[in-house]
Amino acid sequence: GENVEQHPSTLSVQEGDSAVIKCTYSDSASNYFPWYKQELGKGPQLIIDIRSNVGEKKDQRIAVTLNKTAKHFSLHITETQPEDSAVYFCVSGGGADGLTFGKGTHLIIQP
Amino acid sequence: NAGVTQTPKFQVLKTGQSMTLQCAQDMNHNSMYWYRQDPGMGLRLIYYSASEGTTDKGEVPNGYNVSRLNKREFSLRLESAAPSQTSVYFCASSAYPGQGHTEAFFGQGTRLTVV
């Protein structure tokens, strides 16, 4: 089955700085790569997604990049704010068997 | 908008007891999923259902059964609970296969403790 590796497991940045989370996947048939944010006590929520026919996508302070050849994708958050503190998951989606999650990155924004 | 509703929110079971986790979605989605979340492990797929009347095993199905009662509801049953099933359980739904994979919507989770 699909395997998604996510790094780092914990990331601490100063408020206003940028944060980058990186993931790799194994299944070359995967074609959908969403990122989810999970706040304490809540279910994951989609923040941005990218499909395999696109190399980069941006939504305000959040951007994702995808390198299908290398099977890498990354999340970039600029001008981080306290409300960005949460756990972030990269996800790979291919066939009918749902979405495969990375193990998560705990992002801490230091004031 | 209710989205995905899970019940109960919290549950404590004794080893060997059984229980059913309920999930319902009001978005007319085809696919529904059950995940478990353990510290440092991300979310792992237990079972999924791509349409009413069909169910398939995910990564960690042992010890669980599911029922896709109708398009709205997808339940997860623990027949004989074990301490290893202590976890947070999430139900999700998506429009897949529709136009391919799209956003999956998650419930608030059920925190289950087996003692």
Side-chain angles (χ1 to χ4, degrees):
Chain A
E2 171 70 294
N3 183 45
V4 177
E5 298 285 341
Q6 181 171 349
H7 300 280
S9 56
T10 303
L11 178 60
S12 180
V13 301
Q14 291 294 125
E15 183 178 347
D17 288 350
S18 295
V20 179
I21 302 170
K22 297 183 178 182
C23 292
T24 61
Y25 64 98
S26 61
D27 188 350
S28 56
S30 293
N31 55 17
Y32 176 63
F33 304 93
W35 286 84
Y36 282 81
K37 176 183 181 182
Q38 186 178 28
E39 297 176 339
L40 198 61
K42 297 185 177 180
Q45 282 196 301
L46 180 75
I47 54 171
I48 195 167
D49 58 12
I50 190 168
R51 297 189 185 274
S52 58
N53 57 347
V54 175
E56 185 173 355
K57 184 176 179 181
K58 190 173 181 180
D59 182 4
Q60 299 183 335
R61 297 186 296 108
I62 295 173
V64 291
T65 59
L66 171 65
N67 182 330
K68 274 217 76 160
T69 303
K71 299 197 185 85
H72 290 174
F73 58 120
S74 301
L75 176 72
H76 303 251
I77 305 174
T78 59
E79 300 172 12
T80 52
Q81 300 171 4
E83 54 265 36
D84 295 329
S85 293
V87 179
Y88 291 81
F89 293 98
C90 60
V91 183
S92 171
D97 57 344
L99 305 170
T100 302
F101 282 70
K103 289 184 167 58
T105 296
H106 185 195
L107 178 61
I108 301 165
I109 308 301
Q110 302 278 7
Chain B
N1 290 335
V4 179
T5 303
Q6 290 182 234
T7 55
K9 287 187 170 55
F10 300 93
Q11 184 71 48
V12 179
L13 287 179
K14 293 182 179 178
T15 298
Q17 285 185 320
S18 62
M19 78 162 295
T20 300
L21 280 64
Q22 306 287 353
C23 176
Q25 51 94 6
D26 62 2
M27 295 171 282
N28 199 36
H29 282 165
N30 296 314
S31 292
M32 296 186 74
Y33 312 90
W34 277 105
Y35 289 88
R36 63 177 286 174
Q37 184 175 26
D38 303 294
M41 297 295 292
L43 279 80
R44 292 182 292 169
L45 184 64
I46 304 171
Y47 271 94
Y48 64 98
S49 170
S51 62
E52 185 179 348
T54 68
T55 61
D56 285 285
K57 295 178 180 179
E59 180 185 354
V60 288
N62 291 345
Y64 305 95
N65 285 301
V66 291
S67 295
R68 183 75 181 267
L69 305 169
N70 48 55
K71 194 170 187 180
R72 288 187 66 247
E73 298 172 288
F74 189 38
S75 62
L76 178 72
R77 182 161 178 84
L78 287 70
E79 290 291 351
S80 178
S84 61
Q85 295 178 305
T86 293
S87 188
V88 181
Y89 292 85
F90 287 99
C91 177
S93 71
S94 77
Y96 185 90
Q99 297 177 8
H101 277 296
T102 57
E103 179 177 3
F105 292 82
F106 285 80
Q108 291 291 301
T110 296
R111 186 173 295 274
L112 175 67
T113 302
V114 183
V115 298

